[in-house]
Amino acid sequence: MKHFLLTFLILKSICSLAQSEKLILTENENKLWFESLKKTELLAEKIDLINNRLTNDVNVYIKWSFSDGITVSRFPKLDSLSKIRKKGFCKPLYLIKYKNNVIAFRIENPIDSELTDSVTELISESNIRNVEIWTDDNRQALYGTSADCGVIILELKKRKVFRAFKKLNLTNWKYDEISNYK
C-alpha cells in the first residue's frame, strides 16, 4: 500500500509540473506567446496556439488591482485537487467578430472547463476566417485596460457560429465585466 501511495504522489507531482510548464504566468511569457502567435503563418497553427492558451488559462487565476489600491480577488470558492491553479500576470482579450457584430470575452478566474471546452470546439479552422493580433497602443485606445495583455480578434465565417458563441453567454460575471464592444 505504501508503494502504491508513493507512486501515486510521484505521478501526481510530475503531472502538475508538466501542466505548469505550459502556463503563461508572467508579462514576459505573455509577450513571447504573442510573438510566436504573430510569427505563425498557418491559420491551423494559430488556432491550435489559441485553443491551447484558452485551455491552459483555466489553470491560472489573476488577482486584479485598481489604481486606487483596491484589490479584487475572484477566486472560485473551492478548487478541486485536480485543478492546481497558479497566480498569473494577465490574460488576453478575445474578440469574436462576424461582420459588424462583436463579442468580447476573457477567460477569468472561476474554473469552468466545460465552458472553455465549448469555446475551443467553436474555434476551429472550419469556423475561423482570419486571426488578427493586436499588441500595440491601438488596442488600449479602443478597449482600455481590458486589452492590457493583448487582443486576439477571431473573424468568423458563419453566422450560426456567432450565434453559438452568443448562446454561451461569455460576457457574464464569471468571465469578465466586458460588455459587447461595437
Side-chain angles (χ1 to χ4, degrees):
M1 183 66 178
K2 290 180 187 177
H3 295 289
F4 176 74
L5 184 60
L6 183 62
T7 305
F8 174 77
L9 290 174
I10 290 171
L11 288 175
K12 183 70 177 168
S13 63
I14 290 171
C15 289
S16 30
L17 287 173
Q19 182 183 37
S20 67
E21 286 178 17
K22 297 178 183 178
L23 300 181
I24 296 171
L25 302 173
T26 65
E27 183 177 8
N28 191 37
E29 289 171 342
N30 189 54
K31 285 180 183 177
L32 290 173
W33 183 82
F34 267 101
E35 286 174 15
S36 67
L37 187 62
K38 283 181 179 179
K39 289 178 186 175
T40 305
E41 294 191 20
L42 295 175
L43 181 63
E45 290 177 10
K46 283 184 181 187
I47 289 171
D48 285 343
L49 281 170
I50 291 167
N51 280 335
N52 287 335
R53 174 82 190 255
L54 281 165
T55 303
N56 290 328
D57 275 356
V58 171
N59 298 318
V60 176
Y61 72 89
I62 306 296
K63 191 171 182 180
W64 297 103
S65 60
F66 297 103
S67 57
D68 59 2
I70 298 172
T71 302
V72 178
S73 296
R74 296 182 192 154
F75 295 95
K77 290 183 180 175
L78 293 171
D79 275 352
S80 67
L81 291 176
S82 64
K83 295 283 185 179
I84 299 169
R85 300 187 57 201
K86 307 269 187 215
K87 182 177 176 183
F89 165 72
C90 66
K91 299 177 184 183
L93 176 67
Y94 297 90
L95 300 177
I96 305 298
K97 185 176 178 183
Y98 180 75
K99 295 187 180 179
N100 292 332
N101 300 316
V102 178
I103 297 172
F105 74 94
R106 178 174 46 227
I107 299 297
E108 275 297 340
N109 291 331
I111 295 175
D112 194 346
S113 57
E114 290 175 17
L115 189 54
T116 305
D117 291 342
S118 299
V119 170
T120 56
E121 286 174 18
L122 290 172
I123 299 175
S124 67
E125 196 172 1
S126 61
N127 294 336
I128 304 296
R129 178 183 318 246
N130 187 28
V131 175
E132 277 185 68
I133 297 109
W134 288 3
T135 54
D136 58 358
D137 292 337
N138 290 339
R139 66 186 155 89
Q140 289 181 322
L142 291 171
Y143 301 107
T145 58
S146 297
D148 280 350
C149 297
V151 177
I152 299 170
I153 303 169
L154 303 167
E155 188 180 335
L156 301 177
K157 293 179 181 177
K158 304 170 190 168
R159 183 182 178 103
K160 70 178 184 177
V161 178
F162 186 80
R163 286 188 193 138
F165 270 107
K166 223 173 179 177
K167 284 182 184 176
L168 292 176
N169 195 20
L170 293 168
T171 55
N172 63 20
W173 66 271
K174 286 185 176 181
Y175 283 79
D176 205 353
E177 291 79 22
I178 300 172
S179 60
N180 290 345
Y181 293 105
K182 299 269 178 180

